[in-house]
């Protein structure tokens, strides 16, 4: 059995930032980071548009309070305002800190860090490195990890969280290279496992964003918070779904329908293309439904709308958003200097997640905390995004709450001892799980089943939802679970068996999908990204509260938890 004081699952921005903070504060604490990908290949590396902070380099009228208000309004008043205050107060400092670590941000003429406009933000406060911001930050963080003596386990798939009586004691993992099983015993476990975009058929997320950390937590008995809130990003490139960053609209691009009209003036006249994502995604979906989408041959009635950059000119396009130009050119053959890009909404971000307090400690229920278990980043829900996240607030959450969580772990771990558990029993259980997957004798191909599941989630729990649709989706999940037992694997080996990993990831996807649908069915209102055609209004008297969904094989139990409101009283949300 391996042993480390602290084990962090996930080598993205949140995990790396936490590991670094622990090492900076207490270099003698033994910290390990485990990731199923190389840390540099975590989805954070793909982040494009930027990271928000009221540095006031472009807009001297900005303030943390203004940033907090925009965030809370963007969240449709479901964000916890104490958590938002911390996020926005610490933002300028984490940016300067990243800069000191070596991150190369884009600059203004006067040498200060440049800041651009972003959806839902009332001031220009998004710092960026062209449209490769995640790349710039993650590379520096990973370099700094090595310098600070963090042990890194690369390409180990974590299968199980060892949590007994509300206390985290370690994790169980599988080495993808050769199938070796190992347990890491630790005083603290931290999850920074990222999002779950792969629950849906069209997503901006990487292949590894399968919600493993969420599923492992739920199976271990931890509730998941606000899982009904799935962000669909307005501008996924059609048909592949990869992201065309909001930075493109931040720099001035237009959304136009088949009639050549900037249709956002019908939906958010004051903010136009820079309305928050939930509103813009609904607008695009409604335009397409009304027959004002476009076909690939340019005729009306098709499945996408246009994102038009042509008026921005070559110089601006190539200096500010070169990567987005390249994506459209490489993937769908569109030269955005001369032609508009075909776009439509794509599953992008997980507002909900593993519930944590503002210290990063995981909750076992509305009023009880776990011991030894922390989480941060996209997999966690400290609820700074509530029902809808603003662009460029997620990278910020990863570094602010990565740092805060690291700081708290550094002091928490001082008083903690390693706990005992029956390691042999866990290893035996994992061995049996793998053998039963490898020995499956069914007739259904796993890849086909995954595709059907993802199609079903997109159909039954997409941008717009109804009770009948979601009930049908849940009924289909029961069928998919039965079919999973009838699936088989082509590869029965132990060397780089990626099919086996995909089989385990599909289990995560299915747990997470069921949690999303069940939480969504129970929220009988429309708020932020959760938009119901049978309950079209926000209903504060009944639903200004966080969902806490508890998973068990017998069924999912949905409970609720109050929202922290201490700065801004809920108002109607208009743009
Ligand atoms: C294309 C794209 C562009 C984006 N652009 C922006 C932007 O401009 N601004 C912004 O604020 N946000 C942006 N976002 C969102 C933001 O990038 C993410 O929310 C954030 O990077 C998540 O970081 P993370 O550290 O939580 O997780 P990730 O970076 O997703 O890392 C997850 C880690 O967990 C590991 N892991 C997961 N499961 C397991 C397992 N079972 N075993 C072992 N390891 C595991 C993975 O290997 C990985 O290392 C973007 C997202 C996408 C998809």
């Amino acid at each position: 059995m391996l042993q480390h004081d602290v084990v962090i699952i996930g080598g993205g921005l949140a995990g790396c930032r936490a590991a670094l903070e622990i090492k900076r504060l207490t270099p003698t604490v033994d910290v390990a980071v485990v990731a199923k990908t190389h840390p540099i290949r975590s989805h954070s590396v793909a982040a494009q548009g930027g990271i928000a902070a009221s540095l006031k380099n472009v807009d001297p009228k900005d303030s943390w309070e203004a940033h907090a208000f925009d965030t809370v309004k963007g969240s449709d008043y479901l964000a916890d305002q104490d958590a938002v205050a911390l996020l926005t107060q610490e933002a300028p400092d984490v940016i300067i800190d990243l800069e000191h670590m070596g991150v190369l941000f884009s600059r203004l003429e006067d040498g200060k860090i440049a800041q651009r406009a972003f959806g839902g933000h009332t001031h220009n406060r998004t710092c960026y490195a062209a449209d490769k911001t995640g790349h710039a930050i993650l590379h520096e963080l990973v370099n700094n990890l090595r310098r600070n003596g963090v042990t890194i386990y690369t390409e180990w798939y974590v299968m199980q969280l060892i949590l007994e009586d509300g206390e985290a004691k370690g994790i169980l993992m599988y080495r993808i290279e050769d199938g070796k099983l190992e347990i890491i015993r630790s005083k603290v476990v931290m999850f920074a496992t990222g999002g779950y975009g792969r629950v849906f058929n069209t997503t901006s997320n990487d292949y590894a964003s399968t919600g493993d950390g969420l599923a492992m937590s739920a199976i271990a008995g931890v509730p998941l918070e606000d899982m009904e809130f799935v962000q669909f990003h307005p501008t996924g490139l059609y048909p592949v779904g990869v992201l065309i960053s909001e930075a493109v609209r931040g720099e001035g691009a237009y959304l136009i329908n088949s009639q050549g009209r900037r249709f956002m003036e019908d939906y958010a006249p004051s903010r136009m293309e820079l309305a928050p994502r939930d509103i813009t995604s609904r607008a695009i979906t409604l335009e397409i439904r009304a027959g004002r989408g476009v076909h690939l041959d340019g005729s009306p009635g098709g499945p996408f709308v246009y994102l038009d950059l042509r008026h921005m000119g070559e110089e601006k396009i190539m200096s500010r958003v070169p990567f987005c130009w390249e994506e459209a050119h490489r993937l769908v053959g569109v030269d955005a200097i001369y032609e508009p890009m075909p776009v439509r909404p794509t599953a992008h971000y997980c507002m909900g997640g593993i519930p944590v307090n503002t210290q990063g400690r995981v909750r076992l229920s509305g009023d009880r905390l776990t011991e030894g278990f922390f989480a941060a980043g996209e997999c966690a829900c400290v609820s700074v995004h509530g029902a809808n996240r603003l662009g460029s607030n997620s990278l910020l959450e990863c570094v602010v709450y990565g740092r805060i969580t690291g700081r708290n772990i550094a002091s928490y771990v001082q008083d903690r001892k390693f706990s005992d558990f029956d390691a042999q029993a866990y290893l035996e259980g994992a061995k049996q799980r793998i053998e039963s997957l490898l020995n499956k004798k069914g007739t259904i191909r796993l890849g086909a089943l995954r595709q059907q599941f993802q199609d079903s989630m997109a159909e039954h729990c997409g941008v717009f939802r109804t009770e009948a649709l979601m009930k049908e989706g849940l009924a289909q999940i029961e069928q998919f679970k039965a079919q999973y037992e009838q699936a088989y694997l082509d590869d029965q080996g132990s060397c780089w068996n990626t099919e086996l990993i995909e089989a385990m990831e599909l289990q995560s996807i299915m747990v997470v999908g069921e949690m999303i649908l069940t939480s969504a069915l129970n929220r009988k209102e429309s708020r932020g990204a959760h938009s119901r055609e049978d309950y079209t209004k926000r209903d504060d008297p009944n639903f200004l509260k966080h969902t806490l969904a508890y998973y068990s094989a017998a069924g999912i139990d949905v409970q609720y938890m109050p929202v922290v409101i201490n700065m801004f009283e809920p108002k109607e949300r208009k743009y």
Side-chain angles (χ1 to χ4, degrees):
M1 186 163 63
L2 300 164
Q3 191 163 289
H4 294 281
D5 293 332
V6 178
V7 61
I8 298 174
I9 318 308
L13 244 57
C16 289
R17 189 63 194 80
L20 213 55
E21 194 63 14
I22 301 168
K23 281 305 222 181
R24 274 181 172 179
L25 294 171
T26 48
T28 52
V29 170
D30 171 14
V31 181
V33 167
V34 183
K36 66 178 175 178
T37 52
H38 189 285
I40 289 287
R41 293 180 64 92
S42 303
H43 188 59
S44 292
V45 83
Q48 300 176 350
I51 175 166
S54 55
L55 284 178
K56 309 181 196 182
N57 291 353
V58 172
D59 196 341
K61 292 213 180 73
D62 200 7
S63 63
W64 75 262
E65 290 92 340
H67 187 183
F69 177 72
D70 292 344
T71 303
V72 170
K73 182 177 174 189
S75 82
D76 220 346
Y77 294 91
L78 194 71
D80 285 326
Q81 298 182 10
D82 54 345
V84 172
L86 267 176
L87 178 85
T88 50
Q89 281 165 350
E90 294 212 1
D93 192 50
V94 292
I95 300 291
I96 302 300
D97 189 45
L98 287 173
E99 151 111 345
H100 289 172
M101 273 184 223
V103 177
L104 289 171
F105 287 106
S106 293
R107 299 278 158 181
L108 298 168
E109 288 288 313
D110 64 6
K112 289 185 181 160
I113 294 174
Q115 299 191 276
R116 59 164 55 123
F118 240 72
H121 292 279
T122 50
H123 298 274
N124 283 18
R125 63 166 76 98
T126 297
C127 313
Y128 57 94
D131 53 358
K132 301 169 188 174
T133 312
H135 189 271
I137 302 178
L138 190 62
H139 276 250
E140 286 309 329
L141 288 183
V142 172
N143 279 337
N144 277 280
L145 280 191
R146 296 191 188 286
R147 214 171 284 151
N148 282 277
V150 173
T151 309
I152 304 178
Y153 293 89
T154 296
E155 289 165 335
W156 284 81
Y157 182 86
V158 175
M159 292 173 60
Q160 191 175 6
L161 164 69
I162 298 174
L163 183 97
E164 294 178 342
D165 302 322
E167 184 190 358
K169 300 179 172 180
I171 52 111
L172 187 147
M173 60 188 192
Y174 171 96
R175 184 156 65 191
I176 303 173
E177 183 184 358
D178 60 4
K180 183 173 200 247
L181 288 171
E182 273 284 7
I183 284 181
I184 298 183
R185 185 161 80 137
S186 64
K187 296 175 183 169
V188 167
V189 175
M190 175 180 165
F191 271 17
T193 48
Y196 59 52
R198 292 281 152 189
V199 167
F200 294 87
N201 60 6
T202 306
T203 176
S204 65
N205 288 190
D206 71 341
Y207 284 96
S209 296
T210 51
D212 300 338
L214 299 165
M216 280 189 274
S217 303
I219 289 167
V222 172
L224 297 184
E225 183 173 347
D226 290 343
M227 290 297 284
E228 58 274 40
F229 299 105
V230 179
Q231 178 161 82
F232 294 89
H233 193 291
T235 56
L237 191 63
Y238 177 83
V240 281
V242 306
L243 190 74
I244 298 299
S245 173
E246 192 169 296
V248 176
R249 280 171 287 134
E251 296 291 353
Y254 301 149
L255 282 167
I256 53 179
N257 60 18
S258 61
Q259 301 163 345
R261 254 193 77 224
R262 286 178 70 191
F263 56 84
M264 284 309 293
E265 69 188 15
D266 300 338
Y267 301 91
S270 75
R271 299 288 298 163
M272 295 295 285
E273 281 83 359
L274 289 177
R277 292 176 177 173
D278 54 340
I279 293 171
T280 313
S281 284
R282 279 195 287 277
I284 294 175
T285 308
L286 290 173
E287 288 297 301
I288 293 170
R289 269 195 197 174
R292 294 188 291 272
V294 189
H295 285 292
L296 281 174
D297 64 5
S299 61
F304 59 82
V305 297
Y306 282 136
L307 181 66
D308 193 351
L309 288 68
R310 288 172 294 184
H311 58 284
M312 288 164 54
E314 180 169 358
E315 202 280 319
K316 189 167 185 186
I317 293 172
M318 292 319 230
S319 63
R320 303 285 177 84
V321 288
F323 184 65
C324 291
W325 177 88
E326 186 203 316
E327 274 185 326
H329 196 246
R330 182 165 40 89
L331 297 171
V332 297
V334 165
D335 182 341
I337 297 168
Y338 306 105
E339 305 157 88
M341 296 179 183
V343 294
R344 70 168 175 188
T346 184
H348 183 59
Y349 185 81
C350 154
M351 262 82 69
I354 304 165
V356 293
N357 67 7
T358 51
Q359 314 254 299
R361 284 271 297 274
V362 175
R363 298 178 195 276
L364 200 55
S365 66
D367 52 14
R368 212 181 130 201
L369 296 172
T370 53
E371 287 298 333
F373 189 27
F374 292 73
E378 189 168 339
C379 73
C381 183
V382 64
S383 205
V384 288
H385 310 302
N388 174 63
R389 167 173 83 84
L390 295 189
S392 70
N393 265 353
S394 166
L395 293 181
L396 180 65
E397 179 192 7
C398 288
V399 282
V400 168
Y401 279 98
R403 183 167 84 163
I404 290 176
T405 306
R407 199 188 292 153
N408 289 317
I409 290 175
S411 61
Y412 179 90
V413 74
Q414 302 299 327
D415 305 324
R416 240 180 102 76
K417 299 194 170 52
F418 289 106
S419 299
D420 289 327
F421 54 88
D422 186 351
Q424 211 44 47
Y426 282 103
L427 284 170
E428 205 45 53
K431 215 169 121 203
Q432 278 174 17
R433 180 174 165 203
I434 286 172
E435 275 169 11
S436 80
L437 286 170
L438 292 177
N439 296 332
K440 275 179 176 300
K441 296 277 182 285
T443 52
I444 299 173
R445 286 195 86 92
L446 205 80
L449 181 59
R450 186 182 56 228
Q451 185 65 50
Q452 283 172 21
F453 186 89
Q454 293 167 330
D455 289 345
S456 173
M457 282 302 295
E459 186 181 339
H460 299 105
C461 210
V463 173
F464 289 104
R465 300 156 177 192
T466 65
E467 175 157 335
L469 260 182
M470 290 187 282
K471 282 193 166 153
E472 193 182 304
L474 279 167
Q476 286 196 1
I477 287 187
E478 290 309 313
Q479 292 168 13
F480 292 131
K481 281 188 196 164
Q483 285 174 6
Y484 188 89
E485 299 310 315
Q486 303 300 314
Y488 70 95
L489 272 60
D490 283 317
D491 186 352
Q492 271 90 36
S494 55
C495 172
W496 287 107
N497 190 341
T498 51
E499 203 187 10
L500 176 69
I501 300 297
E502 282 172 19
M504 292 196 269
E505 288 176 338
L506 181 54
Q507 286 176 329
S508 302
I509 285 176
M510 287 168 66
V511 169
V512 170
E514 194 176 348
M515 292 292 259
I516 293 173
L517 265 168
T518 309
S519 305
L521 184 64
N522 279 273
R523 185 174 284 276
K524 297 189 167 99
E525 65 159 353
S526 287
R527 182 187 297 273
H530 176 62
S531 192
R532 289 191 58 155
E533 292 180 287
D534 43 0
Y535 297 93
T536 54
K537 293 264 177 320
R538 194 174 88 193
D539 177 0
D540 285 347
N542 290 307
F543 285 103
L544 183 52
K545 55 190 180 185
H546 296 294
T547 303
L548 283 184
Y550 294 77
Y551 185 83
S552 81
I556 294 169
D557 179 29
V558 175
Q559 298 185 17
Y560 294 93
M561 188 173 69
V563 179
V564 179
I565 297 172
N566 58 6
M567 283 190 292
F568 310 111
E569 277 305 312
K571 284 197 284 209
E572 193 192 351
R573 182 168 166 252
K574 266 204 204 137
Y575 290 93

